[in-house]
Amino acid sequence: MTSSVDQPTVTLPGEVAMPLVGFGTWQATGRSGYESVRTALEIGYRHIDTATAYGNEDEVGRALRDSGIPREEVFVTTKLPPEHAGHERRTLAASLAALGTDYVDLWLIHWPPQRGGGLDTWREFLAVRDEGLARAIGVSNYSTSQLDVLIQATSEPPAVNQIRWSPSLYDPQVMVEHRERGIAVEGYSPFKTTRLDDPVLVEIARAHGVESSQVVLRWHVDHGVVVIPKSVTPDRIRANFDVFDFSLNEDELRRIDGLAG
């Protein structure tokens, strides 16, 4: 088991340390959702990603409490649905109640609201952060131009933009644009658009004695991109976390980058 202190992190504004490998919970509901989060925490994950829209904040919160792990040792993310724009505080209050916590480590606007790209919502997020209800705030599924609307209006960039990301979607310009703005990239659905039987991934996996899926996750880590794989299968949950004992060299990273297209 890898302890939380061994995990690489990215530092968000306010010196908030966000583990680069998290546990995604989309579609993980009910008993299996609860058990998958408990399993992830027992294995060593210290970053759990949920959302109001997932309908599983109760299960996530109960798993966190039952784990016995101190709250401050687990990085918890939840998200505001775009249709809840204008009801930010009510939504966050419900999330905190369901999660059984006084704060979240990261609160995201799940998708850009249709009206104004979420500028009013972003201002409310800033106020919530300043009040300590969220240690860091960010967005999800925003384009660079949509990020710039928020930045130009408030001079406050989101700490994180959670976007779909994988080797096939790799775009170095997107990476540059985020880093120029001081925004961490967090990737979701790392396997959905990935051919795990691609010869490049298979060859690199064989060289390291790991699985192709683990190579994909390590590729995120070595690029400094947060990644949140999801599973409700204990063996897969464990394998997705077992990516800290090897790293990819520059040539391997370049070859995986080349899978985009």
Side-chain angles (χ1 to χ4, degrees):
M1 181 181 296
T2 302
S3 69
S4 58
V5 296
D6 296 326
Q7 299 178 39
T9 61
V10 60
T11 302
L12 307 181
E15 298 303 309
V16 176
M18 181 181 190
L20 281 172
V21 177
F23 183 69
T25 65
W26 180 56
Q27 295 182 322
T29 58
R31 184 70 188 178
S32 66
Y34 166 81
E35 291 178 349
S36 68
V37 175
R38 278 296 304 274
T39 297
L41 292 169
E42 289 169 4
I43 287 169
Y45 288 82
R46 292 297 181 266
H47 171 185
I48 307 295
D49 179 274
T50 184
T52 294
Y54 297 171
N56 62 8
E57 289 172 316
D58 283 309
E59 290 94 331
V60 170
R62 185 158 51 88
L64 180 55
R65 290 190 298 277
D66 291 351
S67 74
I69 299 168
R71 169 66 185 88
E72 62 273 15
E73 293 184 13
V74 183
F75 189 100
V76 178
T77 299
T78 193
K79 311 179 193 76
L80 175 95
E83 63 270 20
H84 286 212
H87 304 285
E88 293 84 5
R89 288 180 182 268
R90 185 189 311 166
T91 303
L92 182 58
S95 290
L96 295 178
L99 291 166
T101 183
D102 295 330
Y103 68 94
V104 290
D105 297 279
L106 179 63
W107 196 30
L108 304 178
I109 304 174
H110 206 155
W111 291 85
Q114 291 186 353
R115 296 179 59 184
L119 183 54
D120 290 340
T121 293
W122 183 240
R123 291 193 174 102
E124 196 65 25
F125 267 51
L126 293 170
V128 161
R129 180 203 61 190
D130 292 346
E131 293 168 23
L133 298 175
R135 296 176 67 217
I137 52 174
V139 297
S140 183
N141 300 299
Y142 271 61
S143 66
T144 302
S145 62
Q146 289 169 325
L147 293 170
D148 284 341
V149 169
L150 306 184
I151 296 169
Q152 290 164 8
T154 66
S155 299
E156 291 262 18
V160 172
N161 187 17
Q162 187 183 108
I163 57 178
R164 202 174 187 191
W165 198 251
S166 69
S168 68
L169 300 176
Y170 177 70
D171 185 338
Q173 185 60 34
V174 170
M175 298 288 297
V176 168
E177 289 170 353
H178 281 72
R179 286 175 178 158
E180 287 177 343
R181 291 159 176 78
I183 301 171
V185 175
E186 180 177 14
Y188 67 83
S189 297
F191 307 132
K192 199 156 191 178
T193 58
T194 300
R195 279 188 52 219
L196 294 177
D197 62 349
D198 186 283
V200 170
L201 296 177
V202 171
E203 180 184 339
I204 293 173
R206 187 179 299 117
H208 290 280
V210 298
E211 301 175 13
S212 294
S213 58
Q214 293 169 306
V215 168
V216 170
L217 298 177
R218 186 70 212 191
W219 172 81
H220 285 74
V221 171
D222 285 339
H223 270 306
V225 173
V226 183
V227 63
I228 46 171
K230 61 171 288 287
S231 178
V232 295
T233 306
D235 287 347
R236 178 52 51 194
I237 294 171
R238 185 177 298 277
N240 287 343
F241 191 69
D242 190 16
V243 296
F244 302 117
D245 293 333
F246 74 101
S247 61
L248 304 174
N249 61 40
E250 290 186 8
D251 179 64
E252 290 169 333
L253 286 171
R254 179 188 56 78
R255 292 174 64 199
I256 297 170
D257 293 349
L259 297 178

